Amino acid sequence: MTPNLHLWLIPLLPLAGAAINGLLGKRFSRQAVVSVALAFSFAAFAMALWISARFSTLTLPYQQTLAPWLKSGGFTVDFSFALDQLSLVMLLVVSGVGFLIHIYSVGYMWEESGFYRFFSYLNLFMFFMLTLILAGNYLLMFVGWEGVGLASYLLIGFWFTKDSAAAAGKKAFIVNRIGDFGFLIALFLIIQHFGSLDFQQVFAAAKPFAAETTGAGFLTAIALLLMVGAAGKSAQIPLYVWLPDAMEGPTPVSALIHAATMVTAGVYMVARSHVIFERAPSALTVVAIIGVLTAFFAATIGIAQTDIKKVLAYSTISQLGYMFLACGVAAFSAGIFHLMTHAFFKGLLFLAAGSVIHAVGGEQDMRKMGGLRSKIPVTFWTMTIATFAIAGIPPLAGFFSKDEILWRAYQASWVYWLLGLTTAFITSFYMFRLWFMTFWGEYRGDADASAHGPADGASDSHSHGHGHGHGGIHESPWVMLAPLVILAVLSVVGGWVGVPGSLGGSNRFDKFLSPVFHTTSPSVNGENAQAGAMAPEKEVEGPEPKTGVSTELIFTGVSVAAGFLGLFLAWLLYVRRPELPDQIAASIHGLYGAVANKYWIDELYSWIFVRPLVAISGIVLWRGIDQGVIDATLNGSAGGARDLSDNVRHMQSGNLRSYAGWIAIGAAAVIGYMIWVGTR
């Protein structure tokens, strides 16, 4: 008999923690706030582990309906949660990495004002993200989708008295609303054509449809609109601009949002909707093109950034592009595999960067770091593991997931593979650039690191972090280091569940997810479709896909060589010949200026969208409607009332004859009215 898993408890637990700390945390001690936040987030993770231990006994997909929700004619939506292999992977990653970030935050935010508020927001974020993952229908997913947007706004703008942080929070919120509009229209189309928002019912109804290979039909429209929503949430071109600015939030927020949770929601939604996307090859091609272009574009920007968190922010955008590339070539399990490994090494990179910032008293400019490896050894070694992992160096986790994406991209189009390989090389270069600038050479900052201001650019009113500004360069406390060590271990071994057959493994991760992804693909692309890896139609002719083990090993060797080439070039420029970067930048100052200024995309958006909207709102809304209609109506009413009262007050003259006259006039009016009514 299938056990009752009480899936609803998993998101409810962090919601309870958010409510307790949000309502009562101001009266609690910091220890009590921490106890509540950690207890409820760990309870959610423990339940995820308990469910995974019983997973083999379940009949999948497992669905739990709590109560009816909406009903209109024949259309109904239940408040239901669902579990399958895909949601289990996401559940473990989000709750596990999220709990580690909670632990890290205890040390990082200990001296911060608004301590209870921060942990309330963290728990609230976990509630909405877990709701998104476990939702059994699109409507409940949309509730979680909007909720993580709200929680991210609160977390990014945590230092709300600081203008840049408040602006970054608003920017994230507004840009995500643009994507969410596309998602919402897609839901309306799903209701129109399938009469339901339940995943099982929608996908069962979609399966009989043939792939729309000869034109764009309603499935293509739905898929493209879903991709608009995913592009906003997962920071893809053209809606990526909010994510770099989100670095204004505390570093644990950067790790939480950019590693395992919010930004991966778009990838998860596309993978969850794979039945629709597989029947819309044109939409899959759009997903692949946007993914690979975003990966390459963001990687080039990362080359010239000097803020350690901004480098990691553009790296996140680039790695998300890899995941969308995988989904675009219908290698959904490869995309989720990279989502998981990325959660390990990118979460570690952000937390280790926070430890570096903590060590040097709040400095984020890598040009003012250097020589830190002997001063903060635990941070150095854990960040070293993460750097090698993201660079795709075997046998670390990032190597296996990135290599599989490149191989599956090549099977779809050699152009995808070439851009992906170039991105892998650039990624290795800028990450080892960060590594060498931070930990090697001589320390280039102030003699006393405590002379720096608060971390993360916080205003002087914030005494940020545990130990910030209280001495010279120092290692972080173990409450911050322990999560780094755990994530470092996962960054090493996390990819071993997906070792491909060409390297002697069996890709157990792909086999685990195969019941979700490999059973409904229509035959669109021959061999690949039969293998459950339907690729979009090629737009650019190239070599025919080759599936031999020797060929795959050659491509694996090429991708590893790209990683080592990036390492060598970074060593040459930032260790062996440190004067060369400035010389190269001066020789190509135009191109370097464009990259360093992020191609002026923010300025372009400001000129095209922001300024005209502000001008229109100023002229039409403010002057025309606000002043001309609303204010004029209210002010006119007030002025009229004032004039009327001014005239009426003259009736109160204190003269008895005047009062008698007014009474006579009133009586005559009443008598006249009664006579008029009586004659009708």
Side-chain angles (χ1 to χ4, degrees):
M1 185 176 71
T2 302
N4 190 345
L5 298 182
H6 301 293
L7 294 177
W8 56 274
L9 273 175
I10 299 177
L12 186 65
L13 286 165
L15 177 62
I20 293 172
N21 274 334
L23 296 173
L24 305 174
K26 196 170 185 178
R27 302 185 184 94
F28 290 169
S29 66
R30 291 178 185 263
Q31 290 81 359
V33 169
V34 167
S35 298
V36 170
L38 294 187
F40 283 100
S41 59
F42 175 74
F45 177 52
M47 277 206 69
L49 293 175
W50 179 78
I51 288 173
S52 65
R54 289 156 178 77
F55 191 72
S56 60
T57 66
L58 301 177
T59 301
L60 299 176
Y62 175 86
Q63 188 147 345
Q64 189 173 49
T65 300
L66 300 182
W69 190 2
L70 297 178
K71 183 175 179 63
S72 177
F75 173 71
T76 60
V77 180
D78 294 328
F79 201 88
S80 63
F81 294 94
L83 184 72
D84 61 4
Q85 292 86 347
L86 174 59
S87 53
L88 180 66
V89 171
M90 293 293 296
L91 181 63
L92 290 170
V93 169
V94 169
S95 61
V97 176
F99 175 62
L100 292 177
I101 293 171
H102 274 70
I103 296 174
Y104 178 93
S105 300
V106 174
Y108 198 85
M109 302 294 292
W110 186 261
E111 297 179 6
E112 188 64 49
S113 59
F115 187 75
Y116 76 95
R117 183 166 50 88
F118 180 81
F119 279 96
S120 177
Y121 294 165
L122 279 186
N123 278 179
L124 184 66
F125 189 100
M126 291 286 290
F127 160 69
F128 282 121
M129 191 66 200
L130 292 171
T131 299
L132 188 157
I133 292 168
L134 292 172
N137 54 70
Y138 278 110
L139 186 59
L140 188 56
M141 173 187 271
F142 189 72
V143 171
W145 187 274
E146 291 296 292
V148 294
L150 169 64
S152 67
Y153 164 76
L154 296 172
L155 287 167
I156 294 169
F158 176 74
W159 288 309
F160 56 86
T161 58
K162 181 186 172 198
D163 290 342
S164 58
K170 288 187 289 186
K171 186 175 183 178
F173 192 82
I174 293 170
V175 173
N176 273 275
R177 296 294 74 72
I178 297 171
D180 295 349
F181 179 75
F183 191 3
L184 195 59
I185 299 300
L187 298 192
F188 294 153
L189 288 178
I190 291 173
I191 294 172
Q192 178 186 2
H193 290 282
F194 299 116
S196 175
L197 290 175
D198 182 85
F199 290 140
Q200 293 187 42
Q201 295 180 26
V202 170
F203 300 153
K207 284 178 184 179
F209 287 92
E212 297 175 344
T213 56
T214 58
F218 76 93
L219 289 172
T220 301
I222 291 172
L224 289 175
L225 288 166
L226 289 175
M227 181 56 196
V228 171
K233 196 68 70 181
S234 294
Q236 298 295 285
I237 292 174
L239 301 178
Y240 72 93
V241 291
W242 67 269
L243 192 144
D245 288 18
M247 295 297 104
E248 291 290 341
T251 297
V253 173
S254 303
L256 185 69
I257 292 177
H258 301 150
T261 53
M262 176 178 168
V263 293
T264 60
V267 180
Y268 170 72
M269 185 261 282
V270 171
R272 173 60 69 198
S273 307
H274 68 97
V275 175
I276 295 174
F277 278 89
E278 286 166 344
R279 285 152 182 81
S282 299
L284 275 180
T285 300
V286 171
V287 173
I289 291 173
I290 289 178
V292 74
L293 290 180
T294 302
F296 177 77
F297 176 80
T300 61
I301 296 177
I303 293 175
Q305 300 305 303
T306 56
D307 185 310
I308 189 170
K309 288 177 64 178
K310 285 291 180 69
V311 174
L312 297 180
Y314 282 102
S315 171
T316 297
I317 299 172
S318 181
Q319 296 303 304
L320 289 166
Y322 261 107
M323 299 174 206
F324 277 100
L325 171 61
C327 291
V329 298
F332 297 102
S333 61
I336 298 300
F337 186 26
H338 196 58
L339 184 155
M340 181 185 74
T341 60
H342 177 263
F344 300 150
F345 60 69
K346 184 54 65 64
L348 175 55
L349 283 169
F350 270 112
L351 296 185
S355 184
V356 170
I357 295 168
H358 172 97
V360 296
E363 183 58 68
Q364 293 180 209
D365 192 335
M366 297 184 298
R367 294 169 297 184
K368 298 180 181 179
M369 298 179 186
L372 298 178
R373 66 184 187 277
S374 61
K375 298 178 176 62
I376 47 174
V378 178
T379 300
F380 165 70
W381 284 110
T382 53
M383 197 166 192
T384 297
I385 290 172
T387 303
F388 276 77
I390 193 175
I393 305 299
L396 280 72
F399 159 72
F400 295 103
S401 57
K402 186 177 293 187
D403 185 65
E404 183 176 359
I405 291 175
L406 288 174
W407 173 241
R408 300 296 287 274
Y410 171 72
Q411 291 181 311
S413 169
W414 67 270
V415 176
Y416 294 162
W417 172 81
L418 183 60
L419 284 172
L421 180 69
T422 305
T423 301
F425 160 70
I426 297 173
T427 300
S428 176
F429 170 73
Y430 69 66
M431 286 308 306
F432 282 112
R433 169 181 176 264
L434 179 152
W435 188 60
F436 285 126
M437 290 181 70
T438 303
F439 295 106
W440 298 81
E442 299 296 328
Y443 182 64
R444 298 179 296 275
D446 295 341
D448 182 2
S450 66
H452 296 296
D456 298 302
S459 63
D460 293 338
S461 61
H462 300 291
S463 58
H464 174 77
H466 183 88
H468 281 297
H470 297 286
I473 299 173
H474 56 285
E475 185 64 280
S476 300
W478 271 102
V479 71
M480 293 170 60
L481 295 179
L484 301 188
V485 174
I486 295 171
L487 287 172
V489 173
L490 292 172
S491 297
V492 173
V493 305
W496 296 356
V497 296
V499 179
S502 61
L503 296 177
S506 58
N507 204 339
R508 288 174 291 172
F509 190 85
D510 182 76
K511 289 182 178 178
F512 179 73
L513 291 179
S514 62
V516 178
F517 296 129
H518 291 179
T519 58
T520 62
S521 299
S523 180
V524 173
N525 200 30
E527 295 178 355
N528 288 345
Q530 295 173 10
M534 184 199 70
E537 295 180 330
K538 297 180 183 178
E539 295 187 349
V540 182
E541 292 298 325
E544 289 295 316
K546 303 175 179 60
T547 57
V549 172
S550 59
T551 303
E552 188 172 353
L553 286 175
I554 291 173
F555 277 82
T556 297
V558 172
S559 65
V560 173
F564 279 110
L565 181 60
L567 167 60
F568 171 76
L569 185 61
W571 171 82
L572 177 65
L573 293 179
Y574 294 95
V575 178
R576 185 72 177 85
R577 299 285 302 279
E579 74 281 359
L580 282 180
D582 289 337
Q583 296 176 6
I584 295 173
S587 64
I588 54 170
H589 63 277
L591 177 60
Y592 180 82
V595 174
N597 288 282
K598 299 160 283 188
Y599 302 107
W600 297 286
I601 298 297
D602 282 292
E603 290 79 1
L604 180 65
Y605 281 11
S606 178
W607 275 101
I608 295 177
F609 301 112
V610 178
R611 294 189 179 187
L613 285 174
V614 171
I616 291 172
S617 64
I619 296 173
V620 177
L621 296 180
W622 180 55
R623 294 182 182 176
I625 298 177
D626 190 43
Q627 286 188 330
V629 178
I630 299 174
D631 286 353
T633 301
L634 294 175
N635 294 337
S637 300
R642 183 179 62 249
D643 294 340
L644 178 62
S645 63
D646 184 61
N647 292 327
V648 171
R649 70 184 178 86
H650 293 295
M651 295 170 60
Q652 307 299 323
S653 63
N655 190 312
L656 291 176
R657 286 180 297 176
S658 176
Y659 291 161
W662 285 114
I663 292 172
I665 292 172
V670 171
I671 293 170
Y673 173 75
M674 294 175 65
I675 293 172
W676 177 74
V677 172
T679 58
R680 293 188 64 186

